[in-house]
């Protein structure tokens, strides 16, 4: 039975995974309850053939992950208001169950404070969930659902009222940490975020460092994240902790050079509007298990 909440889905693609995209769209079409409306955004590339009823947008240039997803949000009206919930799904993912959209409806209906749900990502062959895909510090048990302080960009559901209140993803980030930026703004506005192990997106196990820009973007956007969102006393603490963690991981010399280049870029380039979170939000993040210094 449907709760009456309208659900849409945004998928961005570079057009290079047509078979995987088709399988994902088929898994969305197979969801229980009312039909999930889907928009596929070609991020600087043509959109492969899609099933009837799926809307497509082809952008003339690659706007990055947050920019492409923001275009998808606006395809559902300003801040996505034509629907109540938006799913964001990687184009090489696959919804493992037919009841995921309905579980989202029920979760948001039952908890008026819930703004974002982070799905569990599992390898389709092994069923394994990588530790980095559990959005909390205590990540050893991926089967435990909990409140969290951030979410996974390509496997989540967002109540569209969140976008109306705090805005969309930060376009300028292009890739990396855009989810945490939105999460911190949502938490500061009073919304909560859940990690749900029963909402599963199958996705092949990969390493984020496969992207050529990974180390530079991660470092630059980490600085931007702090400059945009943290109270002034926490900015050097947060960035100092992350610099230490990066060094302890002993990246290669080229990776470390790219990381420090991105770190410098984060300080010397505009980061967008600064809206520091309230200290009570800092305390909320701390109580949820991840103070904004790590």
């Amino acid at each position: 039975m449907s709760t009456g909440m309208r659900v849409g889905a945004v998928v961005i693609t570079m057009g290079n995974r047509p078979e995987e995209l088709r399988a994902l769209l088929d898994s969305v079409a197979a969801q229980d309850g009312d039909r999930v409306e889907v928009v596929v955004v070609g991020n600087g590339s043509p959109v492969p053939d899609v099933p009837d009823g799926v809307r497509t947008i082809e952008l003339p240039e690659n706007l990055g992950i947050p920019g492409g997803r923001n275009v998808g949000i606006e395809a559902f009206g300003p801040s996505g208001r034509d629907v109540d919930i938006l799913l964001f799904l990687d184009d090489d993912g696959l919804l493992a169950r037919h009841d995921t959209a309905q579980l989202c409806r029920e979760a948001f209906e039952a908890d008026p404070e819930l703004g974002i749900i982070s799905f569990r990502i599992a390898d389709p062959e092994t069923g394994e969930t990588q530790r980095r895909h559990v959005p909390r510090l205590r990540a050893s048990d991926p089967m435990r659902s909990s409140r969290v302080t951030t979410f996974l960009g390509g496997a989540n559901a967002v109540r569209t009222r969140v976008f109306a209140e705090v805005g969309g993803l930060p376009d300028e980030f292009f890739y990396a940490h855009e989810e945490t930026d939105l999460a911190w703004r949502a938490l500061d506005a009073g919304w909560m975020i859940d990690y749900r192990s029963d909402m599963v997106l199958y996705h092949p196990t990969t390493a984020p460092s496969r992207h050529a820009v990974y180390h530079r973007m991660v470092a630059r956007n980490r600085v931007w994240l702090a400059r945009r969102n943290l109270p002034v006393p926490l900015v050097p603490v947060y960035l100092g902790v992350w610099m230490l963690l990066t060094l302890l991981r002993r990246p290669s010399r080229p990776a470390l050079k790219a990381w420090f280049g991105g770190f410098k870029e984060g300080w010397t380039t505009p980061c967008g509007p600064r809206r520091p979170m309230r200290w009570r939000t800092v305390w909320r993040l701390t109580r949820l298990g991840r103070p904004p210094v790590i």
Side-chain angles (χ1 to χ4, degrees):
M1 296 291 292
S2 171
T3 65
M5 297 190 82
R6 299 160 298 172
V7 181
V10 173
V11 181
I12 60 173
T13 183
M14 299 293 290
N16 55 350
R17 294 189 280 239
E19 294 181 5
E20 292 89 340
L21 174 62
R22 186 62 183 244
L24 169 66
L25 297 176
D26 288 345
S27 75
V28 174
Q31 292 299 296
D32 299 337
D34 295 338
R35 184 173 180 268
V36 178
E37 301 291 333
V38 182
V39 169
V40 177
V41 178
N43 215 353
S45 66
V47 176
D49 290 338
V50 297
D52 292 341
V54 174
R55 288 186 287 164
T56 63
I57 301 172
E58 294 185 353
L59 302 177
E61 61 178 312
N62 184 354
L63 299 182
I65 294 173
R69 287 183 177 142
N70 283 337
V71 169
I73 293 168
E74 296 301 309
F76 289 93
S79 300
R81 69 183 181 190
D82 293 346
V83 292
D84 304 295
I85 303 163
L86 276 176
L87 312 180
F88 295 87
L89 306 169
D90 277 350
D91 68 342
D92 56 345
L94 182 75
L95 289 174
R97 295 169 43 159
H98 290 183
D99 62 351
T100 301
Q102 186 61 18
L103 289 173
C104 288
R105 294 184 185 100
E106 293 169 358
F108 285 118
E109 186 75 23
D111 186 353
E113 292 186 341
L114 182 61
I116 303 172
I117 299 172
S118 189
F119 300 167
R120 180 168 64 89
I121 293 179
D123 185 273
E125 295 184 2
T126 66
E128 178 186 357
T129 295
Q130 293 180 273
R131 188 181 182 91
R132 69 184 181 89
H133 284 152
V134 183
R136 58 176 179 244
L137 292 179
R138 297 179 178 178
S140 59
D141 182 7
M143 300 307 295
R144 178 173 67 87
S145 299
S146 70
R147 293 284 202 202
V148 290
T149 61
T150 188
F151 63 99
L152 306 174
N156 67 79
V158 181
R159 193 191 296 264
T160 53
R161 281 178 53 200
V162 173
F163 298 126
E165 288 190 24
V166 308
L169 295 156
D171 287 339
E172 53 269 71
F173 278 40
F174 197 84
Y175 163 78
H177 302 318
E178 67 273 5
E179 304 93 349
T180 300
D181 187 89
L182 176 61
W184 283 2
R185 285 183 281 126
L187 288 161
D188 197 49
W191 296 102
M192 301 300 290
I193 305 170
D194 278 357
Y195 166 74
R196 288 282 298 263
S197 64
D198 58 334
M199 301 182 188
V200 181
L201 184 83
Y202 283 146
H203 189 282
T205 298
T206 56
S209 55
R210 70 190 186 280
H211 299 292
V213 297
Y214 172 77
H215 296 287
R216 180 176 69 86
M217 293 286 194
V218 162
R220 184 198 67 181
N221 292 359
R222 184 80 71 183
V223 178
W224 281 358
L225 181 68
R227 288 175 59 197
R228 286 164 60 98
N229 295 289
L230 290 181
V232 169
L234 294 185
V235 172
V237 180
Y238 177 80
L239 295 176
V241 167
W242 278 105
M243 181 178 289
L244 177 62
L245 288 173
T246 299
L247 294 173
L248 289 174
R249 290 168 178 167
R250 303 177 67 182
S252 67
R253 186 180 296 273
L256 195 60
K257 182 179 179 180
W259 193 93
F260 275 107
F263 192 83
K264 179 181 178 181
E265 185 181 349
W267 284 109
T268 57
T269 55
C271 63
R274 173 168 165 77
R275 299 187 182 95
M277 67 177 65
R278 294 166 291 181
W279 283 102
R280 69 180 182 184
T281 304
V282 173
W283 176 236
R284 169 185 274 194
L285 287 160
T286 303
R287 285 190 294 112
L288 289 170
R290 189 159 197 159
V293 294
I294 188 170

